[in-house]
Amino acid sequence: MKIAFDAKRFFHNTSGLGNYSRDLVRILATYFPENDYILLNKNKSERAKDILDLPNVHFVETSRGNFSRQLKMGKDAQHQNADIFHGLSGELPLKWGSKPIKKIVTIHDLIFIRYPKYYSFFDRKIHFWKFKKAADSADKIIAISEQTKQDIITFLKVPESKIQVIYQGCHKAFKEQQSEDFVQQTKEKFNLPERFVLNVGTIEERKNLLNIVKALKDTNIPLVVVGKKTKYFKKVETFIRQNKINVHFLEGVSMHELAVIYKLADIFIYPSFFEGFGIPVIEALFSKTVVITSNTSCLPEAGGPDSVYIDPKNHLDIQAKIKFLWQNESERKRRAEKGFEYVQKFNDELIATELMNLYKNILR
């Protein structure tokens, strides 16, 4: 079988969509080496070089020109004799040739509809048009959570039978045991506190860092934050300065260093208002670190029954749950162990098998 992917995010996105794309190709190529996996894009990057080194993964440079991703990539996949084209980030090409090819699209979330205030009018219109077009022309849609599946049915008016939920996993670094030397090096490099609460994710309004910071006021509990700053950061920074809260912002953290930081954290906190899935929750559970997250959207799907849930709008609720776990080592350990058992359902082999079964079924 030959599967072609829209690899724009694979090569050029450092966070969510990029991680999803790279992990998906890696696990398919590892567990189903008998197939060919074609990465279509105008250019490649140094990112994920290890995946490109696999013998069954091939980069193919797509046609040049304006809007070539929309107008030419589909035909490029057909020229490669691909059986399936998989759009990894909610989009599919608009133009196709006459050769038979099955089309699959992964839709991660419809946050631009649920939370329009985070997007410009123009972006909302473009996103909706692209997602609706892809959903209509796809033979099958992959939703990354039950929450996203329901949103696709509700907002894009797609029949349920066309959608399959296949969860996503996370980078293999979070499942590996790093050496003591590397752990020590990471501690020293980032000057990490002896004990701390960790938050990972883009520093934007939807991820709700301000309410974590408000919750930590007058507690002396250190917070470590790993994530790209947006203009929302200024609001958070002002509150930190005015209230003298102990917060460490880290930059330039590699995936392997991040895996160590997760393991060293006492608590991982993720009070996002809305997510399509919430990979950082999975990363924390694989790291055997207890999770506090929101009781909204898909986050209980990711966190499982033994994570601790909060109302993301209520910083006092967040504070109470942080204090409870901070002061109870046995409860942290118990929940972390249970969370580690639960997160095995997001293991690579399981997800790769579900994807491959979908590919095979669509070609039948």
Side-chain angles (χ1 to χ4, degrees):
M1 191 188 314
K2 234 182 207 188
I3 301 129
F5 300 95
D6 175 351
K8 181 184 175 184
R9 313 286 182 187
F10 180 99
F11 289 117
H12 300 296
N13 189 298
T14 55
S15 55
L17 295 175
N19 290 336
Y20 172 79
S21 303
R22 289 183 287 274
D23 282 333
L24 183 141
V25 175
R26 173 181 61 81
I27 65 176
L28 285 172
T30 303
Y31 290 102
F32 297 95
E34 67 278 12
N35 303 308
D36 279 320
Y37 304 96
I38 301 161
L39 299 170
L40 294 165
N41 199 44
K42 286 182 190 173
N43 50 27
K44 55 183 175 176
S45 68
E46 280 305 296
R47 207 163 278 124
K49 200 177 166 310
D50 54 328
I51 300 170
L52 269 178
D53 287 342
L54 296 168
N56 51 355
V57 178
H58 316 282
F59 166 70
V60 172
E61 189 179 330
T62 53
S63 304
R64 295 273 162 180
N66 291 342
F67 301 107
S68 61
R69 188 163 164 245
Q70 290 79 14
L71 303 178
K72 296 174 182 173
M73 190 183 275
K75 292 178 181 177
D76 290 337
Q78 289 170 306
H79 289 155
Q80 295 295 320
N81 295 316
D83 301 292
I84 291 170
F85 182 95
H86 189 164
L88 297 169
S89 58
E91 295 178 58
L92 284 174
L94 303 172
K95 297 277 184 196
W96 300 89
S98 55
K99 270 189 184 172
I101 188 166
K102 293 291 186 184
K103 307 174 194 79
I104 294 171
V105 66
T106 298
I107 294 182
H108 297 259
D109 61 67
L110 296 176
I111 292 171
F112 63 93
I113 299 175
R114 281 190 164 273
Y115 286 86
K117 67 175 181 178
Y118 299 139
Y119 298 83
S120 72
F121 174 80
F122 184 69
D123 282 349
R124 292 200 307 272
K125 291 292 174 203
I126 290 286
H127 284 340
F128 183 82
W129 184 82
K130 284 198 292 199
F131 278 49
K132 178 71 176 140
K133 209 84 175 128
D136 289 345
S137 66
D139 293 287
K140 200 80 180 174
I141 299 165
I142 294 173
I144 59 163
S145 65
E146 289 293 342
Q147 173 70 58
T148 295
K149 176 183 170 179
Q150 290 312 315
D151 283 356
I152 294 166
I153 294 166
T154 305
F155 298 122
L156 300 183
K157 305 287 183 262
V158 173
E160 186 174 359
S161 58
K162 198 175 180 177
I163 309 165
Q164 185 171 334
V165 175
I166 299 180
Y167 290 118
Q168 57 193 112
C170 66
H171 194 281
K172 60 183 191 292
F174 301 98
K175 300 159 196 170
E176 293 166 348
Q177 202 51 55
Q178 286 77 18
S179 72
E180 266 313 307
D181 280 355
F182 187 66
V183 171
Q184 203 48 46
Q185 275 169 30
T186 305
K187 259 185 181 171
E188 286 167 16
K189 177 179 174 180
F190 295 106
N191 194 20
L192 294 170
E194 205 44 54
R195 291 183 67 193
F196 59 92
V197 173
L198 175 66
N199 173 252
V200 175
T202 306
I203 301 167
E204 60 183 344
E205 196 177 340
R206 178 171 57 85
K207 305 279 188 187
N208 198 21
L209 177 59
L210 186 59
N211 269 346
I212 304 176
V213 171
K214 284 180 178 176
L216 291 174
K217 189 183 168 200
D218 304 325
T219 65
N220 279 335
I221 296 171
L223 174 67
V224 171
V225 179
V226 182
K228 198 173 84 186
K229 293 169 182 169
T230 68
K231 61 182 181 188
Y232 168 76
F233 171 73
K234 284 270 173 265
K235 195 190 277 190
V236 179
E237 190 184 34
T238 302
F239 189 90
I240 290 166
R241 213 176 34 245
Q242 286 170 350
N243 295 280
K244 298 184 173 55
I245 296 155
N246 186 356
V247 186
H248 306 244
F249 289 97
L250 309 187
E251 286 174 349
V253 180
S254 75
M255 208 53 104
H256 290 277
E257 288 165 342
L258 184 60
V260 167
I261 294 165
Y262 268 108
K263 288 188 178 83
L264 291 172
D266 282 50
I267 298 164
F268 176 72
I269 182 147
Y270 198 69
S272 175
F273 290 119
F274 195 91
E275 293 293 325
F277 182 63
I279 286 185
V281 170
I282 303 294
E283 292 169 347
L285 293 176
F286 270 117
S287 307
K288 293 193 177 175
T289 297
V290 66
V291 169
I292 298 175
T293 189
S294 305
N295 57 9
T296 58
S297 69
C298 63
L299 290 162
E301 277 181 74
D306 293 283
S307 291
V308 173
Y309 295 97
I310 47 91
D311 170 2
K313 296 189 287 292
N314 184 345
H315 73 273
L316 294 175
D317 185 28
I318 298 171
Q319 184 183 74
K321 304 283 169 58
I322 291 174
K323 280 180 169 176
F324 167 69
L325 286 175
W326 187 257
Q327 292 156 5
N328 284 281
E329 187 183 3
S330 61
E331 188 63 9
R332 289 199 306 275
K333 283 211 165 99
R334 184 188 74 77
R335 287 178 182 272
E337 290 295 336
K338 288 284 197 188
F340 185 70
E341 284 171 31
Y342 172 78
V343 83
Q344 300 312 312
K345 70 189 267 188
F346 304 108
N347 246 324
D348 289 353
E349 190 171 2
L350 214 73
I351 293 165
T353 303
E354 285 186 12
L355 282 161
M356 193 48 64
N357 287 341
L358 183 146
Y359 290 162
K360 285 175 179 168
N361 287 337
I362 208 172
L363 288 175
R364 281 203 180 109

